[in-house]
Amino acid sequence: MSMRHLYSCILTAIVAPLILTACKNSDENKSQTASDMTAKSGITRTEFGTVDGKTVYLYSLTNAKGDLVKITNYGATVTSWVSPDKNGKRTSIVLGFDSLAGYLAKPPYFGAIVGRYGNRIAKGKFKIGADTYTLALNNNGNHLHGGIKGFDKQVWEVAPENDSIPVVTLSYLSKDGEEGYPGNLKVTVTYTLTGDDGLKIEYNAETDKPTVLNVTNHSYFNLTGDHSNTILDHKVMIKSDYYTPVDSGLIPTGELKAVKGTPFDFNTPEKIGARIAQVPGGYDHNFVLNRADSSLQMGVTVTDTASGRKLEVFTTEPGVQFYTGNFLDGSIKGSNGVPFNKNTGFCLETQHFPDSPNQPKFPTTLLKPGEKFHSITMYRVSVQ
Ligand code: GLA
């Protein structure tokens, strides 16, 4: 049985009983409106700097409508996503920097691919069969986002591109023992900027020893296109009847808790700020997406009335970490000198559930030799 089939069965098994009883603000193209814009679709590459003795590049993906997404192979990171607002003004809807130095200063995973295990593993320990593995501890005695030097801090390989198509494929070989994980894991991430302003992210991976894997993208969005604004007025809809409550270290208790009647119920669109004060620290929780199978489905929408922008999130993953930038404290500044303050971005990290390797009732994150890991997430932006 493939991991995905196994996941469907396990998810059905745990949810069914419950149901029975639950940039810099870019001024690029500023004078042009969305409708008069016809750009040349494709990809260009410029040098971005040097890390670990390797040259790092910045890839600019443009579609015919003029959306522009920039991605660096340092951390396979999305640095900028310039799209028009309802007045045609083009600014970036993700938090990022226009130079490599911003990323080397270790911002909290801005736009990066996180792994080998995105999110937390309690005490950095888990078992596969009779073998216990101990991972690097980097978050209050727990393991977070792949450890001290996770995928977000690695230089990824990039295969030669067809410069007339806005697609870039990045790959990384995570060696046996890296950050404590077993097995040589080859992971590839393909970013495609679609004609209808979707950023499709496709993940593939294979291992030579049983291991655990939970890769995601950690983009912080601010649909106003100006990170001097908070995201508290954005309206969020999450198709989710359950979330995974956490302890004080943000480790799941193992329970799937009904969102009904709680500040976690986003089945009807709600402003982020409406009930955030009732959630100690702010939202930083994994939502169990309502779904019958692991096909690509829309799970989340976010709208911002002021800019008219709408973000839709489609994924094959069973969950999404909704994080409201609670740990941003103004100590990091954007390339325009404006600090990234608390709640100036939100993340929708599509994923398997946190600490799954220690939670037998959660969908499995085990990947075995011979299996092909495959996962897709697409963020799509439009104006209303
Ligand atoms: C994730 C985690 C948060 C925090 C951020 C990075 O979203 O769930 O607790 O660690 O990454 O700051």
Side-chain angles (χ1 to χ4, degrees), residues 108-109 119-120 139 144-145 218 220 250 284 321 323 327 347 349:
Y109 309 96
N119 219 310
R120 293 173 178 79
N139 189 254
L144 173 70
H145 292 336
H218 206 299
Y220 290 68
L250 298 176
D284 193 358
Q321 184 85 5
Y323 170 60
F327 300 120
C347 302
E349 302 155 61

Side-chain angles (χ1 to χ4, degrees), residues 116 173-177 182-186 206-209:
R116 191 176 296 199
L173 175 65
S174 171
K175 295 221 173 105
D176 188 13
N184 291 297
L185 179 91
K186 169 93 188 287
E206 287 182 74
T207 183
D208 63 0
K209 275 188 198 167

